[in-house]
Amino acid sequence: QKMSNIATIEYGKNGQMYTASNVSAKIITVVGTSMTGLILYNPIGSGKYMALMSAGFTLTTALGSISSIGLAISPSQPVIPSSNTVGSAVIKSSTGGPVNSVGLAWDVSTLGVACVTQRWFAGLNWITGGSGQAPYQFDTKIDGELGLLPGAAVCFAGLGGTLPTGMGSISYVELSL
């Protein structure tokens, strides 16, 4: 079993771990500037680096074609996202403590710069006639390999004929710059 060298328990005890998630199902989109699903944003001037720890996605509808799910990052830039809708997106302490995160979570956002998928972690195959494989829940351990500087955002993105509807979650640690 792989052990991380990140002090996850210490970050939790110090109140630095958070989880952004949807609490109702949303459809995800292909990469671009107008994104739907779950979008996590590190505001310009936050003074924090958001180290991504893990992400998960669960399907709430069956798909009728092949589909892939990944995490896409919109790079740090001075353009503040617009048309943001909180909807069912929330940020909570990962340990049940107070929520002091600088992060913002949305169901819909128009980002200043298009996202690029940086980690594909889930896929569904499909065979015409409906005999495809249909797992419904996916996780990826990130352990800080991806993160957000101030002005950057991460979201779920899809690729395929029918894009997934479901609920996502992203856990992260906030570190001072």
Side-chain angles (χ1 to χ4, degrees), residues 3 5 31 37 39 49 56 61 71 82 88 90 98 107 111 115 118 132 148 168:
M3 290 291 290
N5 64 356
V31 292
I39 301 101
Y49 174 72
T61 58
L71 288 172
S82 60
S88 74
V90 297
D107 287 340
L111 304 169
C115 296
Q118 294 189 268
L148 303 177

Side-chain angles (χ1 to χ4, degrees), residues 115-165:
C115 296
V116 174
T117 303
Q118 294 189 268
R119 175 167 295 193
W120 293 104
F121 68 93
L124 303 163
N125 67 13
W126 186 262
I127 298 170
T128 302
S131 58
Q133 185 182 27
Y136 66 91
Q137 201 281 328
F138 307 93
D139 288 300
T140 184
K141 193 76 167 163
I142 302 165
D143 278 346
E145 292 174 3
L146 300 173
L148 303 177
L149 288 167
V154 63
C155 57
F156 288 93
L159 183 64
T162 305
L163 293 177
T165 295

Side-chain angles (χ1 to χ4, degrees), residues 3-81:
M3 290 291 290
S4 172
N5 64 356
I6 299 171
T8 306
I9 294 170
E10 288 301 312
Y11 290 128
K13 286 177 19 182
N14 292 334
Q16 295 173 270
M17 289 197 63
Y18 302 95
T19 301
S21 61
N22 299 113
V23 295
S24 67
K26 303 296 174 200
I27 191 166
I28 62 174
T29 55
V30 297
V31 292
T33 55
S34 296
M35 301 304 293
T36 62
L38 176 64
I39 301 101
L40 174 62
Y41 175 66
N42 186 358
I44 295 168
S46 71
K48 300 288 184 177
Y49 174 72
M50 299 165 85
L52 305 182
M53 300 300 289
S54 64
F57 192 86
T58 188
L59 299 174
T60 57
T61 58
L63 298 178
S65 65
I66 192 167
S67 182
S68 297
I69 303 169
L71 288 172
I73 292 180
S74 176
S76 179
Q77 79 246 225
V79 178
I80 298 172

